[in-house]
Amino acid sequence: MTLPPRMVPLLEQFDFARERLTRRMAGPFVDSGNGTDVGVVPMTDEEYLWEPVPGCWSVRRRTDGPGPRATVLIGTGEWGRDSAPPPHPAPPPFTTIAWRLTHLSELLTIRADHTDGSHLLTRDDYPVSGDAASAIEAFDAGASAWRRALLAADDAALDTVGHSTYPHGSDPEDLFLETVWWVNQELLHHGAEIALLRDLYRAHSAAG
């Protein structure tokens, strides 16, 4: 199927942001932005779970229970991600790399399923990663699933309200083109947050 012209720049943006975030986490290098390769040390488990300030939301073993101001650990498996039903705590808790990355990967995976899959996956079905390597693999899998859903969308799908039935957003009320844009900004802004936290962790570790 020929990719709709309106999808081309959005897919290119998605691919760019995905590759940049993956390289920023796993290395061995990332483009500095001016064509220069900058070496990247792969993210460690300690960094993945690092809590820069008191009261962070993160991912935790279920046996440890939810973190401060959280009431539940969402997801499936040995680990879960801190959460609470609405209304969410105010001000929002600061979140770790682990929280942000698993949130992003879950969003991509479940949205893909509710666009071009079974339309059945829930947050309770999503395995939460407790280590950096598994979390990066899960991000890659989620991004690949979402990309396949984008490649399956024709012009009519882009103009269809509710083409994505993702239950944790406004997707059922939005044109699919708007959903595609929204997912891109989620990837861009969470990717930037994760990159900044990596910089802060490196500076923190160097200060000793």
Side-chain angles (χ1 to χ4, degrees):
M1 184 180 71
T2 302
L3 198 65
R6 291 176 293 168
M7 180 71 87
V8 172
L10 292 169
L11 184 62
E12 289 177 348
Q13 184 184 56
F14 177 82
D15 287 342
F16 170 81
R18 172 191 181 178
E19 180 181 9
R20 191 165 184 81
L21 176 55
T22 300
R23 288 186 177 274
R24 191 66 179 81
M25 295 188 296
F29 61 84
V30 66
D31 186 336
S32 67
N34 63 5
T36 303
D37 290 340
V38 177
V40 173
V41 176
M43 184 164 58
T44 65
D45 294 347
E46 180 182 0
E47 179 182 2
Y48 174 69
L49 296 168
W50 179 53
E51 299 191 11
V53 297
C56 282
W57 275 13
S58 189
V59 303
R60 308 179 192 279
R61 286 187 173 85
R62 295 194 181 277
T63 52
D64 295 333
R69 295 196 291 162
T71 59
V72 66
L73 292 172
I74 60 175
T76 189
E78 180 185 357
W79 294 75
R81 189 173 71 253
D82 285 327
S83 187
H88 300 305
F94 193 92
T95 53
T96 63
I97 290 177
W99 195 100
R100 295 169 200 241
L101 183 56
T102 56
H103 160 70
L104 180 59
S105 303
E106 175 205 87
L107 177 153
L108 291 167
T109 302
I110 299 180
R111 254 198 177 95
D113 179 73
H114 281 266
T115 300
D116 195 38
S118 71
H119 296 256
L120 296 174
L121 283 184
T122 71
R123 287 174 171 169
D124 291 335
D125 300 316
Y126 187 77
V128 174
S129 299
D131 65 275
S134 296
I136 293 170
E137 289 178 4
F139 167 71
D140 183 65
S144 294
W146 178 244
R147 194 179 195 279
R148 288 192 296 271
L150 297 182
L151 293 177
D154 57 14
D155 258 318
L158 292 180
D159 291 327
T160 299
V161 173
H163 181 68
S164 167
T165 60
Y166 178 71
H168 306 297
S170 60
D171 300 34
E173 291 82 44
D174 291 342
L175 295 173
F176 187 56
L177 185 64
E178 296 174 3
T179 299
V180 175
W181 173 87
W182 177 260
V183 172
N184 277 11
Q185 72 81 30
E186 284 281 300
L187 175 56
L188 287 163
H189 91 254
H190 284 307
E193 292 168 345
I194 290 167
L196 177 58
L197 282 170
R198 292 219 67 191
D199 290 341
L200 288 172
Y201 180 81
R202 184 180 67 247
H204 169 80
S205 298

